Amino acid sequence: MSELSRYRLRPSAAGVAVPSHGGSAGPTVLASRLSVPQPKQPLVVRDQLLRRLSAGVERQLTLVHGAAGSGKTLLVADWVNAGLAPGPVAWVTLDKDADAPGPFWAYLLHGLQGCGLSLGAEVGRPARAEGIDRPFLARVAAVLSELSGPVVLVLDEYDAVPPGVVDADLDFVLRNAAPHLRLVVLSRRMPDLRLARYRVAGELTEIGPADLAFTPDEAAELFRLHGVPVSNGTAAALTARTDGWATGLRLSALAMGRGSDPAEAQQVATQHGAIADFILTEVVDEEPPETQDLLLRTCLLERVSGELADALTGRSDGQRRLTELSQASSFVRAVPGAPSWFRYHEIFARALQGRLVAEQPTLVPRLHREASQWLADNDRLTDAVAHAVEAEDWALAAGHVVDHLAIGHLLVGLETHRLGSLFARLPDEIVPSPDVALVRAALAMTRFDVADCVDALDRAEAGADRVPRGHQAALRLGIAAVRVIVSRLTGDLPTAERAGAQARRLMAQVPAERLDGHPELPALVLSSLGTMQLWHGSPDAAEENLRAALAAAHGPFTDVARTNCLGQLAFVHVLYGRLRDASDCALQALQLADRSGVPPESRVPVGHLAAAAVAWEWNDLPATRTHTQQAASSVAALHDPSIAVTIALLRARDHLAHGRCQEAVEILRGTREERARLSEWSFLLPTLAFEEAGGLVSCGELDQAREAVSHLPATSPVLRVALARVELVAGRPDAALAVLGDVPGPPTSALLDVRELLARADALHALHREGEAREQLEQALRLARPDGIRRPFVEADPWVRDELGRDADLAARHSWLGPGLIPSARRAAAAPDEAPALVVEPLSDREVDVLRLVAQPMTSREVAETLHLSVHTVKTHLRSIFRKLSATSRNQAVRRARKLGII
């Protein structure tokens, strides 16, 4: 039954007998089967396809193929009815009566005679139904080849004839009837007519599913013709939803014409009952029982392979049947790039699912569970979880995650959102298995719900002994990993270190190939442990674990862990004053975060924090402010105390730099709750005290400044520098010098050592010991120069700037400080003890602006936003900068620009 069967004119004659020899080859042919269909419904004129048909019949063979209801018959009938054919048209609509050579040729000959052709008595008739001899075919071809002009033979529903029955005979006649016979074949499947030979010879025109699919404009015209005009957006949405399927669009238009709300057109396209009925009767019911069973058992899948189909049907013919279906119907399509996998059109799948639920409802959960297990066994974890969830088998869903060591996927990676959405349906009232409890703990961690996370971990651990021994290592490893991660929020370093040690032991007990497939797990454990150690005052141990995490991390699921590691390593470098290394690490972290696809608000903001800390020490206040704001937009800023405190510290510094000392002090004092959650060894605590004391000194509150640092150990260099600043402001340089001592303490961090040297220089200058003061200043400059530490010199006593302004030699050697501190210095002069970098031509002002932001570091997107440029323009500037500085990378360009004093 063709897609026009409900619209075709039906003659009143019961049928016309086709004469035959022996009777077996002479079926009764309805006149309607030999008539060009005349549609009674509105018809969209498809001019482009009509022109292709007209051009196509200039060749021997035109093939129009597509799924049922794709508009094949409507298109060719419109072409014939419009009088566009180059000669007489013989239209033959085939059916299952023509399933043998004899009946087929009887149909064909009767159709040719019906269009006015006289084939002559010498052609004869098929003598038997099951076979046709070659002399008969030769006579048919000879008569057709001697016609005075072209004749068009249209074979509609050619797929009704079983493959191989008449293909070779039809090919023989077509080749030998040249040049006058023009064959147009309409079929749901590709016929075996040796198409490759016609294609190479330039004698084949194909109009396939993609050509038959309606465009949004054609869909809008179809709806208008049915009296239900829709907007361009609705037409486009409907076209996308139906893949331009003609019958789906037509039936949707009919349904909407009966009163459906046009605003619901997208849903009508996939849910309207008439569409499902058409698919089930015209497509599914036409297939053999085994194929129908395969379609029903696999319709719940988003994608299906032959092996997966076999697992659900219990047979071994899945690949063959799916391949045949994909060739015969556009409702089943091979997945691009994965030829053994197929997907069903959404409308097709919905129709099948409706029948499955109606006819075999108890089979649905079983199919979901069987599909889930097969997918899990074949490393398609997220799909496996999805089907277990559909079966409401939560133990199975969580067991897949735990057994595959994929607990980290709930926290980081490309599948985090989808897995989280699936497990969000987990009922609160369900009694959890240990696996379910562990999954709940990980989900609580994503919400920063520490109490729920720890409670769920305890439940999982309490039931770990009851799970099968082969599963215990994976379960306990997941528990240990999540404990390490949540410890970042509880501030419990001893628990983190114990859980980390346990996790490392358990990693040796799980299958190595499975652990290799989930590098995000060791990366998360090591990076979380390293982060804890960093913020608790053990930067050396932190650096070791962070580098180990980077070495373990590979693949897309580790992007978040790698971003965190790079950001934390940047902070390690900041602590030691290695600002250039810190800048490189922070830039890598920010670039990786951009590439990861994680939304900005969900990213770990430590890369921005490290970049802001570097920008502060380089005295780039706009970059400091920009990175601080971007860090503050992260959700982690609300839950991680170390991040929240660091953001407050950077904001306070910005206020101090602009003379708003009281606001700075209030910001720092507002972090008391977060400070209480930090370890007493955290490096943030003395830094916060130092900045608070500095703010109080600027406000003239010297006693309160002393109180702010009074809790620091007596040996703390932070305490020495802070108290020296108090004494200097109080006008007691001798007391300041006494606090600092005549001999500097052991080196700690270049950032603090430079400030201590400058404080000593200030005290010596105030005591008129100019030579010693100058010596301390030069020592501070030498220490600050390798990493461009500028901020301490900005904050120093005005005599420092005067000294730099008076001493041309000193200014030339330290032109890296820039014109803010050395107005007379030539910014482009390279230091004499450095090899000059090659500059092809001077940088423009805008290129200098771009390079300065890149050095902060910022990504191209962030530079574009800061300078109100497009990303493309920023990249163009960078290419020009690379050329002018003879550089091949950002880092090299920044290093050369610094050598030249350009930035």
Side-chain angles (χ1 to χ4, degrees):
M1 185 177 183
S2 77
E3 53 265 56
L4 271 174
S5 59
R6 67 184 68 213
Y7 308 131
R8 185 178 293 130
L9 294 173
R10 301 281 182 176
S12 58
V16 180
V18 178
S20 67
H21 299 282
S24 61
T28 298
V29 181
L30 292 173
S32 60
R33 290 282 173 179
L34 304 176
S35 303
V36 180
Q38 303 294 321
K40 291 186 175 182
Q41 293 294 329
L43 183 66
V44 176
V45 178
R46 310 185 72 183
D47 289 326
Q48 183 178 1
L49 293 181
L50 294 178
R51 287 193 295 270
R52 287 187 61 182
L53 279 171
S54 293
V57 295
E58 297 297 323
R59 304 171 180 177
Q60 284 184 281
L61 176 61
T62 299
L63 173 62
V64 184
H65 61 99
S70 59
K72 304 181 296 295
T73 303
L74 279 170
L75 173 66
V76 180
D78 188 34
W79 177 76
V80 174
N81 290 326
L84 300 176
V89 176
W91 187 289
V92 179
T93 299
L94 301 166
D95 61 16
K96 292 183 178 179
D97 290 337
D99 61 354
F104 172 83
W105 287 102
Y107 270 82
L108 189 145
L109 294 177
H110 199 79
L112 290 170
Q113 288 179 333
C115 73
L117 296 181
S118 175
L119 299 180
E122 67 274 13
V123 170
R125 296 291 177 187
R128 52 195 177 91
E130 63 274 13
I132 294 293
D133 58 23
R134 188 52 58 96
F136 168 77
L137 298 174
R139 291 194 298 273
V140 172
V143 170
L144 292 173
S145 68
E146 294 171 358
L147 295 174
S148 60
V151 60
V152 179
L153 173 61
V154 179
L155 297 181
D156 193 9
E157 298 189 33
Y158 187 76
D159 49 274
V161 182
V165 171
V166 298
D167 294 326
D169 292 344
L170 184 60
D171 171 59
F172 174 83
V173 171
L174 179 59
R175 286 187 291 108
N176 289 281
H180 297 306
L181 178 61
R182 313 293 170 79
L183 179 62
V184 180
V185 174
L186 283 62
S187 179
R188 298 181 186 181
R189 61 175 172 82
M190 296 290 283
D192 187 13
L193 291 173
R194 302 184 182 180
L195 298 179
R197 184 168 60 187
Y198 289 101
R199 190 177 289 116
V200 170
E203 292 295 332
L204 173 65
T205 297
E206 283 188 76
I207 297 177
D211 306 304
L212 293 169
F214 270 51
T215 66
D217 288 343
E218 290 172 334
E221 174 66 9
L222 176 66
F223 276 79
R224 187 190 66 77
L225 291 172
H226 280 77
V228 282
V230 296
S231 68
N232 291 339
T234 299
L238 277 164
T239 305
R241 197 74 174 266
T242 60
D243 278 354
W245 181 44
T247 295
L249 290 167
R250 186 179 297 277
L251 292 175
S252 296
L254 292 172
M256 291 167 62
R258 291 194 292 268
S260 297
D261 183 357
E264 300 175 357
Q266 293 188 53
Q267 296 301 318
V268 170
T270 53
Q271 296 177 356
H272 184 53
I275 298 176
D277 291 343
F278 181 92
I279 289 173
L280 294 173
T281 57
E282 288 292 311
V283 181
V284 178
D285 290 346
E286 294 294 310
E287 297 294 338
E290 294 82 0
T291 301
Q292 293 185 42
D293 180 63
L294 179 147
L295 289 170
L296 284 178
R297 287 175 177 269
T298 57
C299 66
L300 300 172
L301 300 162
E302 184 176 339
R303 295 181 176 189
V304 59
S305 69
E307 291 183 3
L308 177 51
D310 292 344
L312 299 181
T313 62
R315 297 192 301 273
S316 59
D317 57 356
Q319 188 68 33
R320 176 179 63 80
R321 291 186 182 276
L322 287 167
T323 300
E324 290 173 351
L325 286 167
S326 70
Q327 294 171 347
S329 169
S330 60
F331 292 123
V332 181
R333 300 177 182 177
V335 176
S340 62
W341 285 84
F342 303 84
R343 70 174 183 88
Y344 299 159
H345 190 289
E346 180 184 0
I347 300 174
F348 187 65
R350 283 182 178 272
L352 290 167
Q353 290 163 10
R355 173 173 284 186
L356 177 65
V357 171
E359 296 180 355
Q360 304 180 70
T362 59
L363 184 59
V364 173
R366 195 185 99 193
L367 289 172
H368 276 305
R369 280 192 291 269
E370 290 176 354
S372 176
Q373 192 58 59
W374 188 93
L375 290 163
D377 292 342
N378 287 272
D379 295 322
R380 301 181 72 89
L381 177 67
T382 306
D383 292 335
V385 170
H387 283 284
V389 168
E390 290 299 326
E392 298 185 348
D393 192 333
W394 296 103
L396 180 63
H400 288 328
V401 173
V402 175
D403 190 54
H404 281 70
L405 307 181
I407 199 70
H409 283 198
L410 288 168
L411 304 172
V412 297
L414 303 177
E415 297 296 321
T416 299
H417 177 73
R418 187 180 175 200
L419 284 172
S421 299
L422 290 169
F423 281 109
R425 296 157 59 181
L426 178 63
D428 291 335
E429 64 274 10
I430 190 173
V431 177
S433 66
D435 292 335
V436 172
L438 176 55
V439 166
R440 277 186 166 163
L443 294 174
M445 180 64 208
T446 65
R447 303 190 304 270
F448 296 96
D449 190 334
V450 175
D452 276 5
C453 179
V454 173
D455 179 65
L457 285 175
D458 291 342
R459 289 174 180 269
E461 197 150 27
D465 289 336
R466 299 196 301 271
V467 304
R469 184 172 296 276
H471 186 64
Q472 277 192 24
L475 175 62
R476 293 188 184 278
L477 175 55
I479 294 170
V482 178
R483 280 207 191 278
V484 174
I485 297 167
V486 76
S487 295
R488 288 180 56 183
L489 303 184
T490 63
D492 188 350
L493 180 60
T495 295
E497 291 182 328
R498 285 195 299 272
Q502 183 184 19
R504 283 193 289 265
R505 287 195 301 271
L506 289 165
M507 286 178 196
Q509 299 177 23
V510 298
E513 65 278 3
R514 185 149 287 182
L515 186 61
D516 289 342
H518 290 278
E520 75 281 352
L521 195 60
L524 279 171
V525 169
L526 292 168
S527 68
S528 297
L529 187 57
T531 299
M532 287 280 290
Q533 291 166 329
L534 168 62
W535 297 94
H536 284 69
S538 301
D540 292 336
E543 185 170 8
E544 181 181 351
N545 277 316
L546 290 170
R547 292 195 181 281
L550 275 178
H554 57 85
F557 290 102
T558 62
D559 281 351
V560 172
R562 291 169 62 207
T563 300
N564 178 64
C565 286
L566 288 166
Q568 303 292 353
L569 279 173
F571 252 110
V572 171
H573 292 311
V574 170
L575 282 180
Y576 286 113
R578 303 190 294 257
L579 298 186
R580 301 200 191 282
D581 290 339
S583 175
D584 289 345
C585 276
L587 178 59
Q588 291 179 54
L590 297 178
Q591 290 174 332
L592 182 58
D594 264 357
R595 294 196 301 269
S596 69
V598 178
E601 66 275 7
S602 301
R603 296 175 185 173
V604 179
V606 69
H608 280 299
L609 293 178
V614 171
W616 168 258
E617 297 298 343
W618 283 344
N619 196 39
D620 190 335
L621 301 185
T624 304
R625 192 177 307 114
T626 298
H627 283 297
T628 302
Q629 290 170 348
Q630 289 171 327
S633 67
S634 169
V635 175
L638 303 174
H639 302 280
D640 191 321
S642 59
I643 291 174
V645 168
T646 305
I647 290 171
L649 174 66
L650 291 164
R651 283 176 168 167
R653 284 176 171 174
D654 185 66
H655 282 290
L656 284 172
H658 291 87
R660 298 188 293 269
C661 56
Q662 193 59 51
E663 291 91 332
V665 171
E666 289 175 1
I667 288 174
L668 292 170
R669 287 178 172 174
T671 63
R672 302 220 181 269
E673 183 178 340
E674 287 83 2
R675 288 196 219 188
R677 295 166 60 193
L678 296 175
S679 162
E680 61 179 312
W681 301 107
S682 174
F683 72 85
L684 284 172
L685 295 178
T687 305
L688 288 166
F690 181 84
E691 297 295 351
E692 184 178 346
L696 290 167
V697 166
S698 299
C699 293
E701 303 289 345
L702 302 186
D703 290 339
Q704 291 187 45
R706 292 188 182 92
E707 178 64 25
V709 294
S710 61
H711 65 283
L712 297 177
T715 57
S716 168
V718 172
L719 176 65
R720 292 199 307 271
V721 176
L723 290 179
R725 291 171 64 180
V726 173
E727 299 299 346
L728 285 168
V729 172
R732 294 193 291 270
D734 51 347
L737 201 57
V739 169
L740 293 169
D742 292 329
V743 180
T748 53
S749 163
L751 301 181
L752 190 58
D753 292 344
V754 167
R755 286 175 167 82
E756 183 174 350
L757 287 165
L758 286 174
R760 184 175 287 103
D762 287 345
L764 290 167
H765 175 76
L767 292 170
H768 306 291
R769 295 160 63 177
E770 304 295 346
E772 295 173 86
R774 170 65 180 253
E775 182 182 343
Q776 295 293 306
L777 171 60
E778 291 199 21
Q779 189 174 344
L781 287 167
R782 286 194 298 272
L783 184 60
R785 176 177 178 167
D787 284 277
I789 302 171
R790 296 182 180 88
R791 188 66 201 175
F793 300 95
V794 176
E795 298 169 347
D797 193 88
W799 76 272
V800 171
R801 186 170 304 186
D802 294 341
E803 188 73 16
L804 289 167
R806 284 193 302 268
D807 190 330
D809 179 65
L810 187 65
R813 281 188 282 119
H814 297 288
S815 60
W816 58 272
L817 287 169
L821 285 166
I822 310 176
S824 62
R826 292 177 57 214
R827 297 176 64 226
D833 58 337
E834 297 180 24
L838 176 63
V839 180
V840 175
E841 61 182 277
L843 271 61
S844 68
D845 291 342
R846 179 57 86 187
E847 288 168 350
V848 172
D849 291 339
V850 169
L851 191 56
R852 186 176 293 117
L853 294 177
V854 167
Q856 293 318 311
M858 288 188 181
T859 63
S860 296
R861 188 185 306 279
E862 291 164 347
V863 172
E865 292 172 355
T866 303
L867 297 178
H868 304 290
L869 302 173
S870 69
V871 175
H872 175 74
T873 300
V874 170
K875 291 180 177 178
T876 300
H877 282 314
L878 284 173
R879 286 194 293 270
S880 177
I881 291 168
F882 292 169
R883 178 181 60 81
K884 291 179 179 181
L885 294 179
S886 300
T888 58
S889 69
R890 291 182 177 213
N891 289 339
Q892 188 179 41
V894 168
R895 286 195 298 270
R896 291 189 173 181
R898 284 174 179 151
K899 282 185 178 182
L900 293 165
I902 295 174
I903 59 173

